[in-house]
Amino acid sequence: MFRGFKDFLLRGNVVELAVAVVVGAAFTSIVTAFTDHIVNPLVAAVGGDNDMGFGFRLLSSNDATFIDLGAVISAGINFFIIAGVVYFVLIVPVNAAKARFAPEKEPEDEPLSETDLLIQIRDLLEKGSYTTAPAEPAASAEASVTSRER
C-alpha cells in the first residue's frame, strides 16, 4: 500500500502539478501588485475625482453601496495578463518542442467510401483470401453453395 503511495508521489505528473501551483501563485501575486499599483490608479484617473476609485455609489450616504467598476476592470486585466503569459511562456514553447522532437506521423489516408469498401470486399471474396482457416476443396465448396440455393 505504501509502495503505491510512494509511486504516486514520485510520478512526474504530481511533481509538475505542485510546481505549477506554486509558480502560478507567485505569478498571480506579481500580476495583482501590477494591477493594484499601476492599472488601478490609471483606471481611477479616468473615473474622476472619486477617492474610492472608478465606480459609483447607489446610496450617497452609505459607503457599502459603492459599485467598484475599477476592481472589475482590474480583474479582467489580471486575467488577460495571466492568460497571455501562460500561453506565450508555457503553451507556445511546449507546442514548438512537440513539433520539433515528436516523430512525424504519416499522413492518414482518407476514409474509404462505402463503394470502395464493397469493391474491396468483393475482390477478397473472389480471391478466397477472406478466411484464416484452410480452404475447402473446390468440390465441397460447390456442394455447399448448391445446397444453400435449394
Side-chain angles (χ1 to χ4, degrees):
M1 179 155 85
F2 288 111
R3 182 176 182 209
F5 182 67
K6 181 184 113 184
D7 292 343
F8 170 74
L9 288 179
L10 295 178
R11 190 180 311 161
N13 296 345
V14 174
V15 174
E16 290 172 6
L17 181 60
V19 169
V21 168
V22 170
V23 170
F27 184 71
T28 300
S29 67
I30 292 170
V31 173
T32 301
F34 172 77
T35 56
D36 286 346
H37 301 292
I38 295 175
V39 174
N40 281 349
L42 293 173
V43 170
V46 172
D49 300 355
N50 195 347
D51 292 335
M52 300 182 89
F54 182 56
F56 57 92
R57 235 182 266 174
L58 294 175
L59 301 174
S60 60
S61 61
N62 188 353
D63 288 342
T65 62
F66 182 73
I67 296 179
D68 191 4
L69 298 176
V72 175
I73 293 170
S74 295
I77 291 171
N78 276 350
F79 172 77
F80 284 112
I81 290 172
I82 291 172
V85 168
V86 166
Y87 180 75
F88 290 110
V89 172
L90 297 176
I91 304 299
V92 170
V94 167
N95 288 343
K98 282 182 184 178
R100 183 174 179 185
F101 297 114
E104 292 184 22
K105 294 181 180 178
E106 295 180 17
E108 295 182 16
D109 294 332
E110 293 183 21
L112 297 174
S113 68
E114 289 180 16
T115 306
D116 293 334
L117 287 173
L118 289 172
I119 290 170
Q120 286 183 358
I121 292 170
R122 183 201 64 203
D123 293 344
L124 288 173
L125 289 172
E126 286 177 354
K127 288 180 187 175
S129 62
Y130 58 90
T131 63
T132 56
E136 296 179 17
S140 63
E142 290 174 6
S144 64
V145 169
T146 56
S147 65
R148 276 189 251 150
E149 292 174 355
R150 292 180 197 168

